[in-house]
Amino acid sequence: MIGMILAAGRGERMMPLTENTPKPLIKVQNIALIEHAISALKKANITDIVINISYLGEQIKSYLGDGSNFGVSIQYSDESQNALETAGGIIKALPLLGNKPFVVINSDVLCDYDLSKLTLPIGSLAHLLLINNPAHNPKGDFSLINNHQVILANSRSFTFSGIGVYHPDFFKNHTNTQSKLPLYPLLKEALATNQLSGEYYQGYWQDVGTPERLELANNLKN
C-alpha cells in the first residue's frame, strides 16, 4: 500500500511560527511533524510515500530528500503554483498513488494508531479513523452505525482524525487536477451512497494546528 502525507497547507493558524518554516517541519519532541507521519507509515511497512507540497515546499524537499535517510521512498506532488486543498491535492497526486487503495494522513496530526490495521471494507470507497471530539471541534463530524457505517453527526458524534484509506474511484467524479477542492463534500457524496465507512479509535491523538496545541503536544507526547 502507498501512503500520502498532506503537507501543502499554509499553516496560518500557526503563525508566526510558520512565517519562515513550513508547518510540517515544526518540531514536536525535537522531531519534525512530518517525520512523525513518516515513522507511523514506516512502522506499518508503508514505505512508498507521496507528499504534496506548496507553501515553502522546497524546504520540505530539502529536508527529506528522496526519503532514503528515513528508510522510505518519497515522491512529491508539487502545488507551489496553486495549493489545491485536501481533495484537490489528492486528485493531483493520483498518478503517483496507483490504482489500489492508499492511506492518507495529515502531516499535523500525531496518533499512535497502528496504520497496518487500516483497511478498506468491501463496498466502501473511503474508510476514516474517527476519534473523540477535541475541544476545538465539540460537535464532531460524523457518527457511526452498524459498527462501521458513517452517517451525519447525531447526538453520539466523533471527529475525523485526518487519517483514512481511499480507493482511487472515490475521486472518479472529480478529475480536474488544478481545481481547489476540500474533502468534506466528497465524503458526504460517499456517505449518501453508503460507500463511506469508519472506525472509532480511543488511543493517543493530537492535532498540532496552533501554537497552543503544539505546546500541548510537546508536554504530553512521550
Side-chain angles (χ1 to χ4, degrees):
M1 185 177 287
I2 295 177
M4 181 174 184
I5 302 174
L6 300 175
R10 179 72 169 79
E12 292 182 355
R13 294 177 301 159
M14 193 66 87
M15 286 289 186
L17 298 176
T18 51
E19 185 173 357
N20 298 304
T21 303
K23 184 167 63 171
L25 295 187
I26 289 177
K27 293 188 175 182
V28 174
Q29 300 289 313
N30 296 315
I31 298 173
L33 274 169
I34 200 162
E35 286 186 73
H36 288 280
I38 290 171
S39 294
L41 289 167
K42 184 179 177 183
K43 287 179 181 177
N45 292 318
I46 300 171
T47 57
D48 291 321
I49 298 173
V50 174
I51 300 175
N52 70 331
I53 55 173
S54 182
Y55 176 68
L56 300 177
E58 287 302 316
Q59 289 189 34
I60 297 174
K61 289 182 70 173
S62 177
Y63 187 87
L64 298 176
D66 63 3
S68 57
N69 289 338
F70 302 89
V72 298
S73 176
I74 296 175
Q75 297 185 82
Y76 296 93
S77 180
D78 193 340
E79 300 172 28
S80 57
Q81 299 301 313
N82 183 27
L84 300 172
E85 299 193 40
T86 301
I90 298 172
I91 291 167
K92 180 177 174 62
L94 283 175
L96 303 175
L97 293 169
N99 57 10
K100 296 180 180 179
F102 52 86
V103 172
V104 177
I105 62 178
N106 291 355
S107 63
D108 61 354
V109 162
L110 302 173
C111 185
D112 61 3
Y113 178 85
D114 181 356
L115 294 175
S116 68
K117 297 180 180 178
L118 198 60
T119 59
L120 192 62
I122 295 174
S124 293
L125 291 179
H127 184 78
L128 310 181
L129 189 69
L130 305 176
I131 47 95
N132 289 321
N133 297 330
H136 63 271
N137 192 40
K139 294 184 179 180
D141 301 313
F142 301 105
S143 294
L144 286 171
I145 60 172
N146 302 326
N147 293 324
H148 291 300
Q149 184 180 346
V150 173
I151 60 173
L152 293 175
N154 57 30
S155 58
R156 180 68 170 115
S157 65
F158 305 99
T159 289
F160 174 39
S161 67
I163 300 171
V165 57
Y166 305 85
H167 193 283
D169 286 348
F170 177 80
F171 304 95
K172 67 181 179 180
N173 294 327
H174 305 272
T175 57
N176 188 337
T177 60
Q178 298 298 325
S179 176
K180 289 187 177 183
L181 184 64
L183 184 62
Y184 188 68
L186 276 67
L187 294 175
K188 288 189 68 176
E189 289 177 10
L191 180 153
T193 57
N194 295 324
Q195 293 177 306
L196 181 63
S197 60
E199 62 186 273
Y200 169 55
Y201 182 61
Q202 300 184 65
Y204 174 77
W205 178 91
Q206 177 66 52
D207 166 83
V208 188
T210 66
E212 294 77 18
R213 292 178 212 157
L214 174 63
E215 181 179 4
L216 182 62
N218 272 309
N219 289 336
L220 294 181
K221 177 69 176 175
N222 295 316

